[in-house]
Amino acid sequence: MSARAGRLGLEVGVTALIFAAIWLFTTSSDSYLVVALPDMLSRFREVWLFDRVGSDLVPSLVRMTYGYVTAVVVGVVVGVAIGLMPLLRALTHPLISFMRAVPPIALLPPAIIVLGLGNSMRVFIIAFVCVWPVLLNAADGTAELNKTLTDTARVYGLSIGQRLRFVILPAASPRIFAGMRTSLSFAVLLLVTSEWIASTNGVGSFLIQAQQTFRITDMWAAIILLGLLGYSLNQVFSLVERRVLRWHLRSTATSA
Amino acid sequence: MSVLDVAKAPAGRLSAWRSAARVPLVRRPGGRTLLGVIGSLGALALWELAVAVGVLPAQDVPPASEVLSELVRLLGESAFWNAVWRTLAGAAVGLGIAIAVGVPIGMLMGTSRLVHHALRPTVEFLRPVPGVALIPLAVLIWGQSVRAVWALVAFACVWPMLVQALYGAQGVDEVARDTARSFRLTRADRVRWLLIPSALPYIATGIRISASMALIVAVSVELLTGAPGLGSSIVRAQEATRFTEMYALIVASGILGIAINLAFGRAERYFLRWHQSQRPGEEA
Amino acid sequence: MLEIQELTKTYATSGGGTQAIAQLDFSVEESEFVSVVGPSGCGKTTLLKCISGLMRPSGGRAQLHGREIDGPPEELAIVFQNYGQSLFPWLTVRKNVRLPLRRKRRAQEADAAVEEALAAVGLASFGEHYPWQLSGGMQQRVAIARALAYRPSILLLDEPFASVDAQTRTDLEDLVLQVRRAFGVTVLLVTHDIDEAVYMSDRIVILSKQPSTVIETLAVELPNPRDQIATKELAEFAHLRAHVYRAIMRAHEPVPV
């Protein structure tokens, strides 16, 4: 009990110290880029609680959700299908690895050329970039299924539907989640950057306009928001992952 | 699937070979590579076809053949190699900084509960912060300098390095630890012969993960800030409406990414050939 | 030389504490071969950890040569059951054996000790192999060689043959008996295999189930050197084996309150 209290004290204490050091640094620095922490926070409150939530944050999140969900659905369906067919997997493997290796932002210029600067381009580019990590991992996870597992499923005469639902998807899900996590960071990246170019609303647009007009405090407020956004998305993702992969965490914990 | 249709063309000749050997091509040594080549050629043919019949607008997307010949032309240009070199160098310096900072902190957190608890909340909060949010700030500080590339690559890669080093330090086997202690190895010897070798596979994995990330971040920062390298070359080609060159550069950056993945994967396997995960047929 | 007196061990757990060792008293004499047997989960591993100084007992004493054990003693070596984890996979066989000698001996002396130990376990030509290139039995022989090269006056064996096949097991048993004579080392063997304990030991300490106490100490008066066939044929062997077996069966039964 006292050990736990000590741990908590350490965590809170050192974190508070780091926070205080940042506070002190930002208030004493005379660089124009550094804004005193209290000013940053109060500006953050003015802008993001909740003045521009409806006009900027929500449109950004809606775009990202559409793009990301599409990518996950397509990636899992196509990936599992490829994973189940060794010939198809061998044929497509270099192509998928290539698409996975292309820096996501490099696809932004062609997307703008082909699709223009509309909202649909932004959703499309997020979906297009996010699909590859999910697809690659779903295919690999399915193809590398434990032989004993698939043999068991066949011996007990499970239908393909049952096999998909009770054997293949669960067994491949740790890999699928790994791909989804990479894709989530790609989604945030593209969400911000796709809004930098000729967008009138969105968090990314707000951030870049603040920078270009040297509204440094606004820029910091947007950085804080994106930090919080990244943190909360990560927390939500981990929560979902822990629930879905409970069996996986348990079985690996006992065998370790 | 349309990819299959394209692949069907040479299947007639293949099937003769296949029935002769009575082993599916997929399981033959080299068979997978051959199929991969066939599949890639099929995808290129599909691209060519899509432009030819107008599924893709020809003024926006040049046919595959043009992009490939442009890529071949670029390979002869010193400006292209200069851009590749700058990108790789920027990514490498950033990765180096990430290793130098992340590994010691991670190892400390992995070996000392005190340090672990002291730094955990800060790390947990900073880790998911999207580096892209810091790009506008980096531009104000460093402009179009390569320093912006270094800083953002380092910020992106320091977290996987730190976390992997932490897992590695925590992953020292208990029996191995007891063995070292029962033979009275000194603290320094235990670090040298037990902690570091045990953590090395994790750190190597961290470097492999970070290396592909470093390239992605370097190209992205160049593209967004104009720092010299592949990324800014893509933007310049786009702005000058040299679209064929732009696509060729994108293809080049993808190939570079695959090359880095393969190279670091190989290096990891070579250096860690003693490690369980590298040995087939054994429970890892 | 090894004295265990009123040794107790209680693990701190969330629900107060788990008593692993109620109280143990026994001793091991110079150049004796003693086995500790007991029902599974009887705290044998806990006992070994206390003797090897990897864990502090909650009460009582463990003394080696009259000195209290408060850390891994210099004249003691252990061979663990999990050779796979106990050998360092990143070092060759030779370097694995040599590693503990780094601060203990001069280089030349250490090299000689390594070669002698490898030869004694029949692995002289495998020095440059990595542990994972060898079979389980050979890996365990490397672990034994490492312990021998360390020149301990007492060797602790923690179920050393539990992870190898039956044939390898008897080979290793004979190997240990042989090197024990050659190196004149005292051995404390912890095992759950009764045949093995009877076959190898001069004396057997039988433990009760957890929380453990000593039920009985039994002298094994079988002729030396032992032989896998001849020794196990003896009526005395069968008798001792049955005796230990009954004692352990009784230890399994619930203690009447």
Side-chain angles (χ1 to χ4, degrees), chain C residues 4 7-11 18-24 26 36-52 55 57 158-159 188-192 205-214 251-252:
Chain C
I4 310 295
L7 187 101
T8 64
K9 178 70 192 180
T10 305
Y11 288 105
T18 308
Q19 200 177 23
I21 298 177
Q23 183 178 332
L24 289 184
F26 69 92
V36 175
V37 297
S40 39
C42 71
K44 286 175 293 199
T45 303
T46 306
L47 170 66
L48 260 197
K49 286 206 167 191
C50 289
I51 296 174
S52 58
M55 193 186 268
D158 182 8
E159 307 208 8
L188 180 66
L189 169 72
V190 169
T191 181
H192 60 249
V205 177
I206 306 170
L207 300 188
S208 73
K209 65 173 190 181
Q210 196 163 309
S212 45
T213 53
V214 177
H252 263 299

Side-chain angles (χ1 to χ4, degrees), chain A residues 7 10-11 14-15 18 33 90-91 94 98 101-106 110 113 189 193 207 211 216 219-220 223 226 230-231, chain B residues 35-36 39 60 114 117-118 120-122 130 132-133 136-137 139-141 216 220 223-224 243 246-247 250-251 253 255 258:
Chain A
R7 234 177 296 155
L10 201 62
E11 292 192 350
V14 175
T15 308
I18 293 172
L33 288 174
L91 284 167
F98 174 79
V102 172
I105 294 187
I113 294 169
L189 177 72
T193 52
L207 171 66
Q211 184 236 25
I216 303 298
M219 184 184 81
W220 277 110
I223 291 174
L226 285 170
Y231 182 78
Chain B
L35 286 170
D60 296 340
L114 208 74
H117 289 300
R120 200 185 60 90
T122 309
V132 65
L137 179 67
V139 171
L140 290 182
I141 302 176
I216 288 176
S220 305
L223 197 145
L224 293 168
F243 291 162
M246 178 190 79
Y247 284 101
I250 294 170
V251 172
S253 65
I255 293 172
I258 288 191

